[in-house]
């Protein structure tokens, strides 16, 4: 039923009838919300539930317009309300998180959290008892990395996401989510990206100065959540593939990063586990605090980007997340990862991660989102490598978005040893800045044109290989359905 429902949801994207509008972070402002609704068994004053305020016309709703301060909502008693999912007006439904408590805007990738003030783009539709949401992004990118180790390439990247959610009379919910990517079409070697390293294209040699492509199937998951009190919920998440409880939201889902076509070089410090073939996560939420733990497959995906690999649950992770206000989301996580690298199967790692995301909404539809994150990888020989990231994106009211990123990593993969193992440790960094302009083609479709420039910094001993702080650039066009 899981795969059948996901397949039906994906097929329904072009057929969505009467779609409730996506978040309008890039679009005109939504109308003011009506008085909030209380779905608990005992009615409370309307002002006690600002996070559940719903506009009269959900078809023009901006989720970010809701005031998420001090949410206080009980599990909805659908039976007492004679709730009929197939026949009710979707506009009357509170947009709750798939994890059972809090606003939907809080949901990031996997089971991660982002600030409540984030937007949650998607085209909505009701299909029987299921609320379906779909989103698509395609980037056609011309990439030119300069210097002796640089290269140029034109490639297609992006993702198609669809989720289907069903609420039950006891207040629980089931969410099925599927995400696919055209990345395998760029070839097993991925695209040029100076200072990036990780995974392999042939099972023999690691990729260096290139970003590996994602698998065709980036996520096939199911989440079951159940409220257990006015401010508490428990949830379970399974994925093949899926994302364990480690790190911040994956970079393509962070508002501070999603407009850039360039992957961070800190990817393997912070969120490389976001495509893991085998994940089981259990968690508990109390108001703005979430605690969760995962068992997952430690090995990174192999060079075959079209298959689904065996779900060996040999690794573990724990994460604590906290949203102290609608504008902030912080997390700290730890993972014990068994044999993550195909080329060094006898090497295990422990990983640490901490991050903070700030998102501010302003004007009619403007926003500013920033992320700061730290990651540490430690191998069996107690050798640690750190990675730092800061990124930000600003979208004033209008069609323009400006984005920037700065990173610093300690890496031993840029100059491998002759036998294929890791080499000497170097500290390298990079900074990039870019801009994109969007044009609306239809109600749920936009076309964008953008570009970015990058400056890479390497130590003196690497200059014979890279040149003197080589630069890079990308031009891209994008097509979005949301």
């Amino acid at each position: 039923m899981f795969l059948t429902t996901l397949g039906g949801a994906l097929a329904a994207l072009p057929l969505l009838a009467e779609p409730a509008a996506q978040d309008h972070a890039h679009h005109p402002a939504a109308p003011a919300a009506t008085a909030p609704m209380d779905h608990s068994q005992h009615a409370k004053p309307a002002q006690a539930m600002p996070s559940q305020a719903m506009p009269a016309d959900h078809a023009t709703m901006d989720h970010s317009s809701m005031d998420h301060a001090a949410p206080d909502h009980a599990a909805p008693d659908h039976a007492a309300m004679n709730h009929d999912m197939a026949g009710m007006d979707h506009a009357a439904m509170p947009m709750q998180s798939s994890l059972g408590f809090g606003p939907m805007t809080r949901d990031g990738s996997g089971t991660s959290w982002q600030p409540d003030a984030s937007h949650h783009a998607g085209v909505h539709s009701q299909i029987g008892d299921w609320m379906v949401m779909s989103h698509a992004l395609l980037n056609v990118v011309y990439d030119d990395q300069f210097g002796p180790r640089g290269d140029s390439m034109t490639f297609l990247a992006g993702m198609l996401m669809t989720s289907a959610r069903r609420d039950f009379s006891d207040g629980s919910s089931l969410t099925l989510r599927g995400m696919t990517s055209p990345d395998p079409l760029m070839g097993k070697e991925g695209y040029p990206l100076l200072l990036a390293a990780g995974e392999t294209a042939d099972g023999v040699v690691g990729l260096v100065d290139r970003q590996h492509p994602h698998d065709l199937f980036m996520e096939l998951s199911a989440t079951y959540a159940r409220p257990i009190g006015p401010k508490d919920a428990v949830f379970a998440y399974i994925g093949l593939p899926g994302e364990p409880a480690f790190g911040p939201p994956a970079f393509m889902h962070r508002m501070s990063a999603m407009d850039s076509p360039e992957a961070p070089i800190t990817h393997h410090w912070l969120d490389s586990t976001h495509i893991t073939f085998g994940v089981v996560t259990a968690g508990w939420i109390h108001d703005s605090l979430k605690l969760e733990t995962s068992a997952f497959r430690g090995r990174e995906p192999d060079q075959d980007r079209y298959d689904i690999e065996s779900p060996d649950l040999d690794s573990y992770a724990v994460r604590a997340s906290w949203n102290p206000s609608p504008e902030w989301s912080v997390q700290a996580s730890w993972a014990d990862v068994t044999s993550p690298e195909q080329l060094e199967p006898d090497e295990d790692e422990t990983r640490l991660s901490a991050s903070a995301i700030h998102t501010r909404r302003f004007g009619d539809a403007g926003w500013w989102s920033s992320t700061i994150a730290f990651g540490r990888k430690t191998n069996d020989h107690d050798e640690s490598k750190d990675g730092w990231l800061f990124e930000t994106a600003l979208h004033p009211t209008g069609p323009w978005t400006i984005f920037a990123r700065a990173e610093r990593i300690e890496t031993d993969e840029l100059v491998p040893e002759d036998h294929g193992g890791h080499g000497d440790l170097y500290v390298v960094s990079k900074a990039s800045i870019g801009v994109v302009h969007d044009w609306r083609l239809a109600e749920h479709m936009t076309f964008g044109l953008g570009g970015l420039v990058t400056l890479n910094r390497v130590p003196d001993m690497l200059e014979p290989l890279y040149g003197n702080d080589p630069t890079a650039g990308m031009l891209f066009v994008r097509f979005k359905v949301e």
Side-chain angles (χ1 to χ4, degrees):
M1 175 180 176
F2 174 36
L3 292 177
T4 301
T5 305
L6 279 176
L10 288 169
L13 177 60
L15 303 176
L16 298 180
E18 297 295 326
Q22 70 284 11
D23 171 87
H24 293 298
H26 290 58
H27 316 313
T34 62
M37 300 171 56
D38 187 288
H39 291 271
S40 62
Q41 297 179 13
H42 304 288
K44 300 178 182 178
Q47 62 269 25
M49 288 183 57
S51 69
Q52 297 302 310
M54 298 298 295
D57 181 7
H58 187 150
T60 56
M61 173 180 183
D62 184 341
H63 301 300
S64 65
S65 65
M66 297 188 292
D67 179 8
H68 303 299
D72 181 18
H73 56 280
D77 186 351
H78 299 294
M81 297 169 57
N82 294 319
H83 185 320
D84 180 5
M85 283 296 297
M88 76 172 291
D89 180 2
H90 178 62
M93 289 183 61
M95 300 300 291
Q96 268 192 322
S97 165
S98 63
L99 301 183
F101 183 85
M104 179 182 288
T105 52
R106 186 181 290 182
D107 291 348
S109 59
T111 59
S112 65
W113 273 359
Q114 59 187 356
D116 296 5
S118 304
H119 71 77
H120 208 288
V123 181
H124 295 75
S125 176
Q126 194 75 24
I127 302 179
D129 291 339
W130 297 85
M131 193 270 282
V132 178
M133 183 176 67
S134 298
H135 170 66
L137 170 66
L138 293 176
N139 282 319
V140 179
V141 184
Y142 173 72
D143 173 17
D144 202 350
Q145 307 282 308
F146 301 109
R149 298 184 78 166
D151 197 359
S152 61
M153 180 179 175
T154 299
F155 62 90
L156 174 67
M159 58 185 175
L160 168 66
M161 297 192 307
T162 297
S163 67
R165 170 174 169 159
R166 179 171 180 175
D167 293 322
F168 300 100
S169 60
D170 61 359
S172 63
S173 65
L174 174 65
T175 302
L176 308 179
R177 185 160 56 191
M179 181 164 55
T180 60
S181 173
D183 281 19
L185 298 176
M186 69 177 68
K188 293 183 177 182
E189 293 187 351
Y191 62 87
L193 187 64
L194 291 176
L195 308 184
E199 301 196 17
T200 177
D202 56 8
V204 178
V205 179
L207 289 171
V208 179
D209 297 314
R210 300 190 75 89
Q211 169 61 31
H212 62 81
H214 290 105
D215 279 33
L216 171 65
F217 297 105
M218 298 175 72
E219 184 176 20
L220 296 171
S221 69
T223 304
Y224 178 78
R226 182 183 179 90
I228 57 174
K231 293 187 177 182
D232 294 85
V234 292
F235 65 88
Y237 168 94
I238 59 172
L240 184 66
E243 179 177 330
F246 181 81
F251 67 88
M252 69 283 296
H253 299 280
R254 297 194 297 263
M255 287 181 68
S256 56
M258 62 177 58
D259 286 293
S260 174
E262 180 186 59
I265 59 173
T266 49
H267 176 48
H268 284 261
W269 278 255
L270 301 175
D271 51 16
S272 64
T273 53
H274 77 105
I275 299 181
T276 298
F277 282 98
V279 181
V280 177
T281 300
W284 166 68
I285 296 172
H286 174 72
D287 197 4
S288 59
L289 175 68
K290 173 168 61 73
L291 302 176
E292 56 190 326
T293 183
S294 297
F296 65 98
R297 183 181 192 265
R299 176 64 58 85
E300 295 172 347
D302 61 21
Q303 66 273 15
D304 187 349
R305 300 297 175 180
Y306 294 93
D307 66 346
I308 293 180
E309 300 170 33
S310 60
D312 302 321
L313 305 182
D314 54 12
S315 304
Y316 306 92
V318 293
R319 178 168 60 193
S321 303
W322 182 40
N323 282 23
S325 74
E327 293 78 25
W328 284 96
S329 183
V330 298
Q331 69 84 30
S333 49
W334 173 90
D336 182 9
V337 188
T338 299
S339 186
E341 297 191 32
Q342 180 180 348
L343 301 184
E344 294 186 309
D346 297 327
E347 197 77 41
D348 300 333
E349 284 184 350
T350 58
R351 297 181 184 179
L352 293 172
S353 170
S355 64
I357 304 175
H358 179 266
T359 299
R360 175 190 174 192
R361 306 303 294 260
F362 58 87
D364 291 337
W367 54 264
W368 184 10
S369 184
S370 302
T371 300
I372 185 169
F374 166 77
R376 170 171 291 174
K377 302 189 295 184
T378 304
N379 62 20
D380 288 340
H381 310 293
D382 293 326
E383 297 172 340
S384 296
K385 294 173 287 184
D386 293 348
W388 289 91
L389 170 141
F390 173 75
E391 63 191 14
T392 188
L394 173 64
H395 177 76
T397 300
W400 293 94
T401 304
I402 303 168
F403 52 89
R405 178 186 293 142
E407 301 175 89
R408 178 185 182 274
I409 60 172
E410 298 172 339
T411 177
D412 56 5
E413 298 181 75
L414 298 179
V415 188
E417 296 179 352
D418 293 338
H419 58 77
H422 291 186
D424 294 332
L425 189 68
Y426 297 100
V427 177
V428 298
S429 59
K430 69 184 303 179
S432 62
I433 186 169
V435 64
V436 59
H437 183 286
D438 287 300
W439 291 268
R440 180 149 299 282
L441 302 180
E443 181 182 2
H444 299 294
M445 298 181 186
T446 59
F447 169 82
L449 176 62
L452 65 88
V453 293
T454 300
L455 174 64
N456 300 280
R457 295 204 62 180
V458 299
D460 293 343
M461 59 280 291
L462 288 182
E463 285 191 1
L465 297 176
Y466 283 93
N468 184 16
D469 297 339
T471 58
M474 291 182 176
L475 296 174
F476 64 97
V477 296
R478 73 180 183 188
F479 177 75
K480 295 173 71 175
V481 178
E482 62 176 14

